[in-house]
Amino acid sequence: MKTTTLARTGLMLGAALGVLVTAGAASACTTKIGAVLPTSVDWGKPIAATAQFAVDQVNEAGGVNGCQIEMVLRDTQVDPKVGVDAAKALVDLDGVRVLLGAVSSGVSMPILTSVTLPAGVMQMSCCSSSTAFTQLAAEGKTEGLWFRTFATSGVQAAMGAKVAADRGYKSVAIFYKNDDWGQDIGKLVAADLEALGIEVTGSVALNDGQPSYRAEVTEALQGQPEAIYLALYPKEGIAAVREWLSLGGTQNMIVANSLKSDEFAENVGLQFLGNTLGTDTASPRAESADAFVTRYTERFESAPTGPGLANSYDATMIALLAMQAAGEGASGAEIAAQVGRVTNPEGTPISADGAGFAAAVEVLSSGGDVFYQGATGNVQFDENGDVSAPAVIWSFTEEGITEQEYISLDEVNAFMASLK
């Protein structure tokens, strides 16, 4: 399935940021929710615009508990300190009880531990995958306030190892960003590669903002790997890959979804990315996921091809459904307690759009539960606020980012089980 470029999508979606559609019956009240998302990077703008798209649909359907929703958006710049400051402002100044975000686990974790947990605010992330959240929840330290619609790093790590095995690579060096997310996925992919009998010649951490990564690249080159695995964001990814190629490193590359970016492809050069394959979680091949693609394309005149878009939509819709179920004036904890009620497999199925939200209002008001059929399928959270997901393998082409292989949820789970 060929896709359009993220750059064009980002420009079109950027215009949608901050737009609050108030078609339909006017409301005398407004309820604020917070969003901390990286709108200063090319792939972050569409994620934020997709969250606003969900808010707009709910407002068109009459809002939450009769009030229009205002999504107050602040930029994290994919920086933990900036993200924490943004979240504090939303909680302390705007009084939000629901916070959407963040994208990077390295930003979401300090927001969770230093802002939302102390304030009793529910946090719903579209795009944080570190297994550190699972551990924290399993220890009872998230107090039921944490959810994410993106599968853990374990899925991407396993798929990265699968790509290496399918390509016949015997040795791989790993570059990972030196933050919570990078450390987590770097450790996981190393274990998965070794479980498949593939030698890990080196595992090298990259710190953000360095003027050069020559020392780190030289270290990794010493192991003479057949391929490299990259768990980096575009800024350091571009710099590291340029150094790698200039010093004669292999063009056999496997990349995490954080590099699913036109910025990365354009600054490295497509001529050097012919042997690059990426991994990402995916929406299931389900009617609800197809319906989201159709509605999204109608809204933005471009398919939802960037990372985290379907996840952002579902995170927003589920949070708003939980607010509706909790009732007007509910606390963050009371809202979080209703997530299971709006994602209940025994409940009434509802579609992921304004009509579905309106239907949910009727069911919930009569004391029933609903089962949200989302952009990422029939969303269900486990006791730690985690979800499972299928996966895709993708590549960079002249036409944009192109899907090469779809791996169903059953296939993902079976492959991950085999690694153990």
Side-chain angles (χ1 to χ4, degrees):
M1 178 175 63
K2 293 181 178 178
T3 65
T4 56
T5 63
L6 286 179
R8 186 168 70 236
T9 303
L11 287 172
M12 296 181 66
L13 296 180
L17 292 176
V19 175
L20 183 62
V21 177
T22 56
S27 173
C29 56
T30 299
T31 301
K32 292 181 179 180
I33 63 170
V36 281
L37 298 166
T39 55
S40 55
V41 296
D42 71 330
W43 46 265
K45 292 182 181 71
I47 290 172
T50 304
Q52 183 64 55
F53 178 34
V55 170
D56 292 346
Q57 288 184 309
V58 169
N59 283 336
E60 290 170 351
V64 174
N65 292 307
C67 293
Q68 292 285 290
I69 295 296
E70 178 187 353
M71 188 181 84
V72 185
L73 173 64
R74 291 183 179 267
D75 183 17
T76 67
Q77 301 176 30
V78 202
D79 182 296
K81 184 180 184 305
V82 174
V84 167
D85 288 345
K88 282 183 177 178
L90 289 168
V91 171
D92 296 341
L93 301 181
D94 292 294
V96 303
R97 300 183 302 277
V98 168
L99 189 72
L100 304 175
V103 169
S104 167
S105 296
V107 179
S108 291
M109 183 62 80
I111 289 175
L112 177 66
T113 56
S114 66
V115 181
T116 53
L117 277 176
V121 170
M122 186 184 87
Q123 186 173 344
M124 178 79 75
S125 173
C126 67
C127 315
S128 295
S129 62
S130 172
T131 56
F133 294 101
T134 305
Q135 182 62 35
L136 201 67
E139 294 170 357
K141 296 178 180 178
T142 62
E143 301 175 15
L145 293 170
W146 165 259
F147 300 88
R148 52 179 162 181
T149 54
F150 197 87
T152 71
S153 297
V155 173
Q156 279 209 71
M159 293 302 100
K162 181 180 185 300
V163 169
D166 290 347
R167 282 293 180 100
Y169 300 144
K170 302 300 182 186
S171 59
V172 176
I174 298 168
F175 290 101
Y176 64 90
K177 183 166 182 175
N178 196 16
D179 66 3
D180 289 345
W181 167 74
Q183 293 164 12
D184 184 54
I185 196 169
K187 175 184 66 178
L188 292 169
V189 76
D192 291 345
L193 288 166
E194 290 170 350
L196 294 170
I198 299 170
E199 179 188 2
V200 177
T201 62
S203 190
V204 182
L206 301 186
N207 293 311
D208 195 10
Q210 289 184 206
S212 170
Y213 295 109
R214 183 164 289 259
E216 290 86 350
V217 167
T218 300
E219 176 188 344
L221 278 167
Q222 292 174 355
Q224 299 182 326
E226 290 183 44
I228 56 173
Y229 179 88
L230 303 169
L232 303 170
Y233 285 100
K235 184 178 179 181
E236 63 270 14
I238 291 164
V241 170
R242 282 176 169 174
E243 294 271 20
W244 176 263
L245 295 173
S246 71
L247 294 176
T250 177
Q251 293 184 23
N252 297 331
M253 291 182 274
I254 305 166
V255 302
N257 75 332
S258 52
L259 291 179
K260 194 177 185 182
S261 159
D262 281 346
E263 179 187 0
F264 176 75
E266 291 167 2
N267 284 279
V268 172
L270 280 177
Q271 67 270 33
F272 301 112
L273 298 174
N275 290 337
T276 297
L277 287 175
T279 65
D280 199 358
T281 57
S283 297
R285 299 313 195 235
E287 183 178 345
S288 64
D290 293 341
F292 166 72
V293 173
T294 299
R295 287 191 295 272
Y296 183 100
T297 303
E298 290 172 352
R299 170 68 178 266
F300 298 111
E301 299 180 9
S302 179
T305 59
L309 302 185
N311 310 83
S312 178
Y313 185 91
D314 283 350
T316 308
M317 272 292 189
I318 292 168
L320 296 178
L321 283 165
M323 289 176 67
Q324 177 69 39
E328 186 177 355
S331 67
E334 290 169 336
I335 295 168
Q338 297 299 310
V339 170
R341 190 179 166 202
V342 299
T343 56
N344 182 1
E346 303 300 319
T348 301
I350 61 161
S351 58
D353 53 17
F357 193 90
V361 170
E362 295 298 320
V363 174
L364 294 169
S365 64
S366 63
D369 290 359
V370 297
F371 188 22
Y372 174 72
Q373 316 285 293
T376 59
N378 302 336
V379 180
Q380 295 182 62
F381 298 98
D382 66 13
E383 65 275 11
N384 298 317
D386 289 345
V387 296
S388 296
V392 291
I393 310 300
W394 52 270
S395 65
F396 294 110
T397 70
E398 291 287 350
E399 292 78 16
I401 295 166
T402 303
E403 182 181 308
Q404 298 292 342
E405 181 182 1
Y406 172 79
I407 303 152
S408 71
L409 179 58
D410 288 343
E411 291 171 324
V412 168
N413 289 339
F415 182 79
M416 293 179 70
S418 74
L419 295 173
K420 296 178 174 57

